[in-house]
Amino acid sequence: MSDPSDIDSDLRRLTPSVRAAFRLTSERHVLDRLLTEIDLPGAITWQKGESIASSELQRRTNGWCIELPWQRTYMLDGPLSELLAVLVPHREELVDAIRSLELDAHVGLHVRMYGQEVPDCLCSPVSIKAVAAYNASLGVGIVPSASPES
């Protein structure tokens, strides 16, 4: 019989990781000024043509982004709700920027899947309504990964 602590360790190790991100993109406008206009700690910007991370891929648009840290969960609605809660104090500023600059808004849920453990892609009606308030798309990307402890 297995030790219960081994089972708990395996479950934690195999639980999918999810990171939620909110991005504003534009082909016409550089979005650096949003860093000061919308004071969200951890927000970053980039310009069209910059390299993506340390790859040879290049950014196709200018952008502004806020990402939450990775978290282990089987439910996508948790990280999505947390992201939306971070945005709430800045909703008017964000919506105004989206409208006035004709920005594209995107909510991304990035998932690292370990083994066969896929998170539930259920999003609550409240979360969907909140995403719609920004006129944002919602994308989920699931990437099979090796277990971090392997």
Side-chain angles (χ1 to χ4, degrees), residues 55-103:
S55 72
E56 292 182 21
L57 299 173
Q58 292 184 327
R59 302 271 185 190
R60 293 183 288 169
T61 60
N62 299 308
W64 176 94
C65 176
I66 184 76
E67 290 181 330
L68 296 185
W70 288 98
Q71 61 179 281
R72 295 296 187 116
T73 183
Y74 283 97
M75 299 290 293
L76 293 184
D77 198 53
L80 176 58
S81 295
E82 288 178 34
L83 175 67
L84 294 167
V86 167
L87 298 176
V88 164
H90 307 280
R91 183 178 12 229
E92 280 187 42
E93 299 158 280
L94 288 164
V95 170
D96 287 347
I98 292 165
R99 287 185 182 143
S100 65
L101 299 173
E102 298 176 351
L103 303 176

Side-chain angles (χ1 to χ4, degrees), residues 5-121:
S5 63
D6 291 343
I7 295 169
D8 290 342
S9 175
D10 284 345
L11 287 174
R12 278 191 303 276
R13 184 173 47 82
L14 294 174
T15 302
S17 295
V18 179
R19 181 174 65 191
F22 181 79
R23 292 181 180 86
L24 299 176
T25 59
S26 173
E27 291 197 25
R28 295 178 290 167
H29 304 285
V30 174
L31 302 179
D32 286 346
R33 72 180 192 165
L34 294 182
L35 290 174
T36 54
E37 291 176 9
I38 302 169
D39 186 26
L40 263 168
I44 61 166
T45 61
W46 64 84
Q47 273 70 57
K48 186 176 181 175
E50 285 183 6
S51 293
I52 299 174
S54 58
S55 72
E56 292 182 21
L57 299 173
Q58 292 184 327
R59 302 271 185 190
R60 293 183 288 169
T61 60
N62 299 308
W64 176 94
C65 176
I66 184 76
E67 290 181 330
L68 296 185
W70 288 98
Q71 61 179 281
R72 295 296 187 116
T73 183
Y74 283 97
M75 299 290 293
L76 293 184
D77 198 53
L80 176 58
S81 295
E82 288 178 34
L83 175 67
L84 294 167
V86 167
L87 298 176
V88 164
H90 307 280
R91 183 178 12 229
E92 280 187 42
E93 299 158 280
L94 288 164
V95 170
D96 287 347
I98 292 165
R99 287 185 182 143
S100 65
L101 299 173
E102 298 176 351
L103 303 176
D104 294 317
H106 315 275
V107 173
L109 297 170
H110 311 282
V111 180
R112 289 181 183 151
M113 186 180 96
Y114 308 107
Q116 301 299 315
E117 305 302 320
V118 180
D120 188 351
C121 292

